[in-house]
Amino acid sequence: MLLLPILFSTVNGYAQLAASYWSFYDKKNCYDNEIMISGNSKLVELGLTNLTSISCPGLTVTRSPKLKMLNIPKLKNFILPQPDSEPIQLFLATESSKFCLTTQEVSNWIQSNNTYIAEANGKLCEPIFTEKLCKQPKSDCLEIFGDVKINGNFDQDSMKSVDIIYGSLIINGTNLTDFGFLERLEYVVQLKEKPAISVTENSQLVNYTFPKMKRIHSAISRYMVFQNNKKLTETFRNGTICSEIRKSLGLGLYALLLDGGSCVFDIDSEPDFSFYIYSNDYLLHLGLSSLSSITCPRIVISVCPNLKSLGWSSLKNIALPTFSVGPITLDISTDSPSFCLTTQEITTFLKTSDIDLDYVYGKVCKPERFDEKLCEKPEKGCLEIVGDVKIGEDSDPEIMRTVEIIYGGLTIMDSNVTSLEFLESLEHVAQLKEKPSILIANNPNLINFTFPKLKKVLWMSARGIIFMNNSNSVFSENSDYCYNLRKSSGLSYIAPMINGLTCDCEGDQITSENLPSYQSCTKLNYGLKLVNISDTAQLSFLSNEVDNIQYQADVTANFENLHPDFCLSIEEFIEMAGYAFSFIKLHAKLCKDHGDLGEYVLCSFKSMKELPNNCNILLGDLIIENGDEALMRKLMNVEYLFGSVIIRNTELKTFENLGYELCIIHLDDSKPLIQILGNKVLRDANIPYLSYVATQETRVSIIQDNNPARSANCELTNKYWKIKLNFTGGDCDDNGMFHIDENAQLIELGLLNMTSISCPEFNIWYNDKLEKLNTPNWRVIETPNNTTRGPDLSIAGNSLKFCLTTREMRMFMHTNENYYFGAIFCEPVFDEKLCNAPKIGCLEVFGDVEITPNTNLEAFKSVEIIYGSLNVSGTNLTDFGFLESLEYMAQLYEDLKFCTGFSENMKKTMVFGDSAMTINGETCSRNCQFV
């Protein structure tokens, strides 16, 4: 970076750059150094009147609060330092309210192909109007100063000669079919925080192209907007159209908004983020049919809600770059219910040696055709099978000897097999539904559990491989069997489940007693915790075998009862935030020695006006008040805040620019963590990029006296971030969340006095030892006062022994919202109303119910609830009228067929799994709806 020695001379009382410094220069070569003019409190103008050319990475002018203008009228030639250099960047953050750019300066900069306006936080100087530079469109004008608004009565001929608009182009409510009348328009420059081009409510518009448009600029990120143009709606559903517009005009990554959807479709060559396709609302297919190889550390295809397929028919190889450390991360989470992967694509993923497949979501595309090698069910000679494979008492295991890949689940249940040697060719099992990839249960003769060639297993459920109720002799005689099986199956840290027990490589559970069982671990899950280990020789596996310590859950730390001067450096906090450390207590100070901050820019916060534009780390409470609204862009690059957040009495509508993946470390519990107060036009209190919070103990946030017209919303964080906060204040009524997550020792809730809940979410997740709720007085689930829907209930990832009582299930089914339960039923106490089989007078039946030609149908007439499955087969029934009282069914056993018919009065069905109903071989949604 080139720091100019600023020399001042006084001309008529004004300070400017000394004419003697550059008066004889018409060209400045700075090569790899940027021109930076910064921290000049008296500078009024640059006054580089003879400067015609620069050849350097950029021109930056900052922290010059009295600067009124640049005054570099002749600068027209922008020469790249090297042929492959990035465009020359203009960055103006003067902090002067009087600063302006002339139309000549803006025109010179934007018309060069070698320039880029990163920021220009000023305004346009009032020009001298001529017959060519006009304030309003008219014949023969070349340039227009101010916004151009085109409506139904607009004279189109007045725009035919216009080359550039210094303002916004607004086209609204017309009958235009195209923009042919803008035949010479090449540039639109808007220095205010609003879109440069806005095209809305033009019902006849069919052509979205501007004949000669070259470049567009605005002070906001989304500066070209098309909205509610009726005949273009379907056109914009083609994701490639959006990308083509953006790239043809050199628009920024998020610049273009088409009917509320954006197009971010980039393959970035940066080593740390190589293949990135994100938030493409209209993208249907990637269509990269010629793509044969990808070499990068990360592949992300996310938030594309209409994506149907990848279309990677030629992809054969995925590799890690030589500069990267594995594994390759593959994240395919499109949010599209119709998205599927072909068998060829899945095979490519599975056969990639060093790849993490934990975040691959979708379903298996139905192959165009099956043949003797690709089969729909096990047959002799098959190499690949699409669908679940079930081997039971009447199955012939021999037909599985040639099978190499199963695109579905493998279940071996109630069989007579003694070993798995018949799976001699099986290398991969890919289960894309939320159920185990491999389930081996109730095989009393099975004594050899070794998979001869199994290499990789893909699954979406909490456990990929489950063994239950087989011959126990192997496990009782060889306690290392689970570890050997995990290693042979390519499972580095998520272990098989054997009779309800696991051998996970849980680094936070190591003791002297179980340390020998860790010798086969190559990765440690949940970090590493060593306490009172006396035999350190047994820790040799850490250096010999373990190449990765994984933090699959937040790492819990507790810092208390330490020396009063105990401190942590900023560098240490950044490291802990990167691993999502969750603190029980954080009794520490911030060290005076900040540590190695690398390229991070550290700033002490005094006020928004005094804050520089390039801060990455802030020290002090961040206070945003009335008058600071236009300065929010200064916070866009802030990643770490050591203090609290106070936003009060502003005109802000959103907090979109508040930080980049913001981490807040708050070490003073005497103040609330976040205060959002008196913001009367606030639409949404969400801080979208808040990713991490660490406090001494409490996490109190106050949201009060904001926009009364908006419904209360205390979800400060994006749903993708796991941030737990406690809210208070009048704007937070009935918005509390009930979350009980990741409590490793929790066995039951034991909320004996809880009678009701009223909140949007009720989640109980990943409490490894949780076996029951034990909420005997809980009877009511209410709809929050400020919402129209009841809470979402989700219970998942807890102990395999976790059970729900019939009373609890009955209460859940009486509420009209959605549920997801990973549970079994607790064994009930039967009485005359709750029976283990249908009989006259029973209101509830616990267990699976089968109706055959010999069934007494009278016994069903009083039944209101079945806790189990209902199977009606082989009868002469014409209708289900005998189920006249049946309203609810609940089945928590995923592998059983849920229902094949039910009465019209049935109010709700609940199921753990993907498909609740099968009609003529086709599955319905989890809500069992007829189609």
Side-chain angles (χ1 to χ4, degrees):
M1 182 180 294
L2 180 66
L3 293 175
L4 296 180
I6 303 302
L7 307 177
F8 290 101
S9 63
T10 302
V11 181
N12 297 326
Y14 292 100
Q16 65 177 22
L17 284 176
S20 61
Y21 183 70
W22 265 0
S23 60
F24 53 88
Y25 278 96
D26 63 355
K27 180 176 180 180
K28 180 59 187 170
N29 292 306
C30 39
Y31 303 107
D32 294 333
N33 296 307
E34 178 185 11
I35 298 175
M36 172 172 275
I37 301 172
S38 179
N40 301 285
S41 60
K42 297 182 180 180
L43 187 64
V44 174
E45 66 175 51
L46 302 193
L48 305 175
T49 54
N50 292 323
L51 183 66
T52 60
S53 305
I54 62 173
S55 178
C56 50
L59 170 62
T60 296
V61 182
T62 63
R63 297 171 57 204
S64 301
K66 293 185 179 180
L67 191 68
K68 293 184 177 180
M69 61 190 305
L70 297 181
N71 193 10
I72 46 175
K74 298 180 181 179
L75 179 58
K76 296 183 179 181
N77 301 315
F78 302 90
I79 305 165
L80 297 179
Q82 302 294 334
D84 58 349
S85 295
E86 294 292 322
I88 298 170
Q89 175 177 280
L90 176 66
F91 187 92
L92 303 175
T94 66
E95 301 181 13
S96 169
S97 60
K98 297 181 180 180
F99 175 73
C100 66
L101 290 166
T102 67
T103 56
Q104 182 63 60
E105 291 164 342
V106 172
S107 176
N108 292 345
W109 199 275
I110 200 168
Q111 291 188 50
S112 171
N113 292 328
N114 293 336
T115 59
Y116 166 61
I117 302 177
E119 182 168 345
N121 66 341
K123 55 189 176 183
L124 285 166
C125 305
E126 189 74 17
I128 297 174
F129 294 105
T130 66
E131 59 182 9
K132 302 300 182 184
L133 175 60
C134 311
K135 199 167 188 176
Q136 299 290 339
K138 62 181 181 179
S139 180
D140 297 327
C141 279
L142 301 182
E143 303 179 353
I144 297 178
F145 183 88
D147 294 344
V148 175
K149 298 180 180 179
I150 298 175
N151 53 35
N153 300 319
F154 188 84
D155 178 11
Q156 298 177 24
D157 290 338
S158 65
M159 290 293 295
K160 288 191 173 182
S161 59
V162 175
D163 297 328
I164 184 169
I165 297 173
Y166 303 105
S168 293
L169 173 62
I170 303 167
I171 304 175
N172 174 258
T174 74
N175 291 318
L176 292 171
T177 59
D178 59 45
F179 302 137
F181 66 99
L182 300 171
E183 58 191 48
R184 293 189 56 179
L185 183 62
E186 295 182 337
Y187 307 101
V188 179
V189 183
Q190 174 58 268
L191 298 186
K192 297 179 181 178
E193 291 188 342
K194 58 182 181 178
I197 296 180
S198 177
V199 182
T200 59
E201 306 290 347
N202 302 284
S203 60
Q204 304 302 312
L205 191 63
V206 294
N207 189 333
Y208 53 84
T209 60
F210 293 88
K212 295 188 68 175
M213 188 72 73
K214 293 180 178 178
R215 296 183 71 179
I216 302 168
H217 173 78
S218 173
I220 60 174
S221 58
R222 297 195 185 279
Y223 48 83
M224 187 175 188
V225 177
F226 286 79
Q227 187 76 30
N228 297 335
N229 302 287
K230 185 176 180 181
K231 292 189 176 181
L232 284 179
T233 300
E234 283 302 316
T235 301
F236 289 154
R237 289 191 181 278
N238 183 342
T240 59
I241 295 294
C242 183
S243 185
E244 287 169 6
I245 298 173
R246 182 170 63 78
K247 291 184 178 180
S248 67
L249 297 177
L251 305 181
L253 197 59
Y254 299 95
L256 186 57
L257 202 65
L258 303 181
D259 287 330
S262 61
C263 59
V264 182
F265 187 113
D266 266 21
I267 299 179
D268 191 346
S269 60
E270 291 298 321
D272 60 340
F273 213 61
S274 302
F275 194 107
Y276 184 64
I277 299 174
Y278 177 79
S279 189
N280 299 279
D281 294 356
Y282 300 119
L283 190 63
L284 299 179
H285 307 279
L286 298 193
L288 303 174
S289 56
S290 298
L291 182 68
S292 61
S293 179
I294 300 175
T295 302
C296 59
R298 192 171 184 188
I299 302 169
V300 177
I301 303 167
S302 183
V303 195
C304 300
N306 291 299
L307 190 67
K308 294 183 178 180
S309 66
L310 299 182
W312 288 352
S313 56
S314 300
L315 183 64
K316 302 297 182 186
N317 182 57
I318 301 175
L320 194 68
T322 55
F323 54 76
S324 297
V325 178
I328 299 167
T329 298
L330 180 63
D331 181 350
I332 301 179
S333 49
T334 66
D335 293 344
S336 170
S338 58
F339 175 75
C340 67
L341 294 164
T342 66
T343 56
Q344 181 265 321
E345 291 162 348
I346 296 172
T347 300
T348 300
F349 299 152
L350 289 170
K351 291 187 176 181
T352 300
S353 58
D354 194 11
I355 190 168
D356 183 350
L357 301 176
D358 287 349
Y359 301 98
V360 178
Y361 300 96
K363 54 188 176 183
V364 181
C365 302
K366 187 174 182 179
E368 294 182 2
R369 64 183 182 87
F370 293 97
D371 54 31
E372 67 277 4
K373 303 299 182 184
L374 178 63
C375 309
E376 200 166 6
K377 60 182 180 179
E379 296 178 10
K380 190 173 182 179
C382 286
L383 300 182
E384 303 178 2
I385 298 176
V386 178
D388 294 339
V389 175
K390 295 186 178 182
I391 298 174
E393 183 178 8
D394 300 325
S395 302
D396 178 12
E398 293 299 312
I399 62 175
M400 292 293 296
R401 286 194 177 274
T402 57
V403 176
E404 299 174 358
I405 301 179
I406 299 174
Y407 304 102
L410 170 63
T411 299
I412 304 175
M413 184 181 292
D414 300 320
S415 76
N416 295 314
V417 298
T418 59
S419 76
L420 304 180
E421 58 87 22
F422 63 92
L423 299 172
E424 60 185 44
S425 301
L426 185 63
E427 296 184 351
H428 304 289
V429 179
Q431 175 59 275
L432 296 185
K433 298 179 181 179
E434 290 188 356
K435 55 184 181 179
S437 291
I438 299 176
L439 174 62
I440 300 178
N442 303 329
N443 303 285
N445 300 320
L446 185 59
I447 58 174
N448 185 346
F449 293 81
T450 302
F451 293 91
K453 294 184 67 175
L454 190 62
K455 294 180 178 179
K456 193 169 292 184
V457 178
L458 173 62
W459 69 89
M460 297 294 107
S461 64
R463 290 288 166 187
I465 301 178
I466 297 178
F467 293 83
M468 291 293 292
N469 301 326
N470 301 290
S471 172
N472 292 324
S473 60
V474 172
F475 304 113
S476 62
E477 295 170 4
N478 185 357
S479 60
D480 290 335
Y481 186 84
C482 178
Y483 306 97
N484 295 332
L485 176 62
R486 180 187 66 213
K487 195 169 184 179
S488 66
S489 303
L491 306 176
S492 58
Y493 55 90
I494 298 297
M497 177 74 72
I498 299 177
N499 294 336
L501 301 177
T502 71
C503 55
D504 288 348
C505 294
E506 296 178 347
D508 63 341
Q509 300 295 320
I510 298 176
T511 66
S512 294
E513 290 75 20
N514 67 17
L515 187 54
S517 67
Y518 282 78
Q519 302 307 306
S520 65
C521 294
T522 59
K523 296 184 181 180
L524 292 182
N525 202 16
Y526 306 117
L528 174 63
K529 179 180 179 182
L530 301 174
V531 179
N532 296 328
I533 303 296
S534 56
D535 186 3
T536 56
Q538 294 193 46
L539 297 178
S540 61
F541 76 97
L542 289 173
S543 59
N544 298 334
E545 301 292 339
V546 175
D547 60 6
N548 199 343
I549 298 177
Q550 299 281 335
Y551 293 90
Q552 294 299 109
D554 293 347
V555 183
T556 300
N558 188 31
F559 289 5
E560 63 174 325
N561 300 323
L562 304 171
H563 190 279
D565 294 330
F566 175 76
C567 68
L568 293 167
S569 68
I570 291 179
E571 180 187 5
E572 289 168 332
F573 272 116
I574 290 174
E575 183 74 13
M576 289 187 285
Y579 286 119
F581 269 61
S582 177
F583 291 96
I584 299 172
K585 293 182 180 180
L586 178 54
H587 295 172
K589 299 177 181 179
L590 193 62
C591 297
K592 293 181 180 179
D593 181 358
H594 299 318
D596 183 6
L597 301 184
E599 297 182 357
Y600 284 116
V601 177
L602 175 66
C603 305
S604 293
F605 185 85
K606 296 180 181 178
S607 70
M608 286 297 294
K609 291 182 180 178
E610 298 178 77
L611 188 69
N613 290 277
N614 59 339
C615 300
N616 306 122
I617 303 172
L618 294 186
L619 293 181
D621 296 333
L622 173 60
I623 302 174
I624 303 170
E625 301 184 281
N626 186 265
D628 293 336
E629 294 84 355
L631 305 176
M632 288 293 289
R633 61 183 176 276
K634 292 184 176 185
L635 303 174
M636 291 180 66
N637 295 316
V638 174
E639 297 183 38
Y640 299 94
L641 168 65
F642 290 86
S644 65
V645 177
I646 302 172
I647 306 174
R648 60 194 179 202
N649 304 322
T650 72
E651 299 297 315
L652 291 171
K653 296 179 181 179
T654 68
F655 303 143
E656 182 178 2
N657 292 330
L658 184 51
Y660 174 75
E661 295 190 7
L662 180 64
C663 301
I664 302 178
I665 292 90
H666 183 44
L667 301 178
D668 184 0
D669 275 356
S670 66
K671 305 183 214 175
L673 173 69
I674 297 173
Q675 299 180 65
I676 300 176
L677 310 169
N679 304 282
K680 298 303 184 182
V681 297
L682 186 64
R683 295 176 180 171
D684 188 355
N686 181 274
I687 303 175
Y689 302 112
L690 178 59
S691 64
Y692 176 78
V693 167
T695 64
Q696 280 189 317
E697 292 187 38
T698 62
R699 295 185 172 195
V700 174
S701 298
I702 301 175
I703 303 178
Q704 193 160 351
D705 296 331
N706 297 292
N707 188 350
R710 293 282 174 172
S711 60
N713 180 5
C714 291
E715 289 192 50
L716 282 182
T717 63
N718 186 299
K719 65 181 180 179
Y720 297 107
W721 304 121
K722 284 180 62 177
I723 303 296
K724 301 174 185 176
L725 304 174
N726 299 320
F727 298 103
T728 185
D731 293 357
C732 286
D733 294 342
D734 299 320
N735 268 283
M737 307 299 176
F738 192 105
H739 284 198
I740 298 179
D741 305 341
E742 298 178 4
N743 301 282
Q745 304 303 317
L746 187 66
I747 298 175
E748 63 176 50
L749 299 194
L751 301 174
L752 305 181
N753 295 319
M754 185 175 77
T755 59
S756 66
I757 65 167
S758 175
C759 56
E761 291 185 10
F762 180 93
N763 295 335
I764 302 176
W765 293 343
Y766 302 109
N767 303 283
D768 293 344
K769 296 183 179 180
L770 187 67
E771 297 183 1
K772 60 182 177 180
L773 296 182
N774 192 11
T775 54
N777 293 306
W778 185 17
R779 296 289 187 274
V780 179
I781 300 175
E782 297 178 339
T783 300
N785 292 338
N786 59 351
T787 65
T788 59
R789 60 192 296 265
D792 291 331
L793 302 180
S794 178
I795 302 176
N798 302 297
S799 167
L800 287 182
K801 298 179 182 179
F802 178 78
C803 66
L804 294 171
T805 66
T806 55
R807 181 196 60 76
E808 291 163 345
M809 183 58 72
R810 182 169 62 249
M811 175 182 63
F812 294 148
M813 289 192 294
H814 276 78
T815 303
N816 62 345
E817 290 306 325
N818 293 320
Y819 307 84
Y820 183 86
F821 293 139
I824 58 177
F825 281 117
C826 305
E827 192 68 27
V829 177
F830 297 105
D831 55 28
E832 68 278 3
K833 302 299 183 184
L834 175 61
C835 311
N836 59 3
K839 62 181 180 181
I840 294 175
C842 280
L843 301 182
E844 302 179 358
V845 176
F846 183 86
D848 300 330
V849 174
E850 184 173 2
I851 298 177
T852 66
N854 300 320
T855 301
N856 178 15
L857 301 183
E858 289 295 319
F860 287 89
K861 289 193 173 182
S862 59
V863 175
E864 299 174 357
I865 303 177
I866 297 176
Y867 302 105
S869 65
L870 172 63
N871 184 14
V872 184
S873 61
T875 73
N876 293 318
L877 292 170
T878 59
D879 59 46
F880 297 128
F882 64 97
L883 297 173
E884 59 190 42
S885 301
L886 184 61
E887 295 184 341
Y888 302 106
M889 294 181 62
Q891 170 60 280
L892 296 182
Y893 298 94
E894 179 182 12
D895 290 318
L896 297 179
K897 184 181 293 184
F898 179 59
C899 51
T900 55
F902 46 82
S903 70
E904 293 180 358
N905 293 328
M906 185 175 293
K907 294 181 179 178
K908 182 178 288 289
T909 60
M910 307 179 66
V911 65
F912 175 65
D914 289 335
S915 302
M917 169 165 272
T918 300
I919 301 177
N920 294 332
E922 298 295 326
T923 58
C924 300
S925 70
R926 285 174 56 188
N927 288 329
C928 266
Q929 296 174 347
F930 282 111
V931 292

